[in-house]
């Protein structure tokens, strides 16, 4: 249930970004997010490079 609620929240946020004209742009860099990435993950807020950077940072925090 919690996972479904989180997904619904992310979908709602994506819909708001569409309304605001921000959908499809990386929230970190402002660069366009690749169409293939958005097709695979329509709720994506980060471009591929920014997402990879974010995941590396998360991994180093967990390793500490």
């Amino acid at each position: 249930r919690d996972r479904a609620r989180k997904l619904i929240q992310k979908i709602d946020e994506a819909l708001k970004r569409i309304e605001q004209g921000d959908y499809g742009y990386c929230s970190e860099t402002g660069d366009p997010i690749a169409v293939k990435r958005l097709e695979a993950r329509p709720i994506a807020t980060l471009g591929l490079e920014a997402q990879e950077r974010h995941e590396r940072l998360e991994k180093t925090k967990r390793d500490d």
Side-chain angles (χ1 to χ4, degrees):
R1 285 184 147 185
D2 190 47
R3 186 175 180 183
R5 268 189 289 253
K6 287 179 182 179
L7 179 58
I8 290 169
Q9 181 181 359
K10 289 181 180 186
I11 292 169
D12 288 340
E13 291 168 1
L15 291 171
K16 286 178 190 173
R17 287 193 309 278
I18 290 170
E19 290 174 6
Q20 296 168 348
D22 296 331
Y23 182 79
Y25 293 93
C26 178
S27 61
E28 206 170 273
T29 66
D31 294 335
I33 298 173
V35 173
K36 286 185 178 184
R37 176 159 170 73
L38 290 172
E39 287 175 343
R41 188 158 177 83
I43 59 173
T45 60
L46 298 172
L48 185 58
E49 290 178 13
Q51 181 65 40
E52 289 173 344
R53 209 172 24 253
H54 177 76
E55 288 174 2
R56 281 193 302 272
L57 287 171
E58 286 295 313
K59 186 178 184 297
T60 57
K61 287 180 184 176
R62 278 183 278 156
D63 291 344
D64 289 343

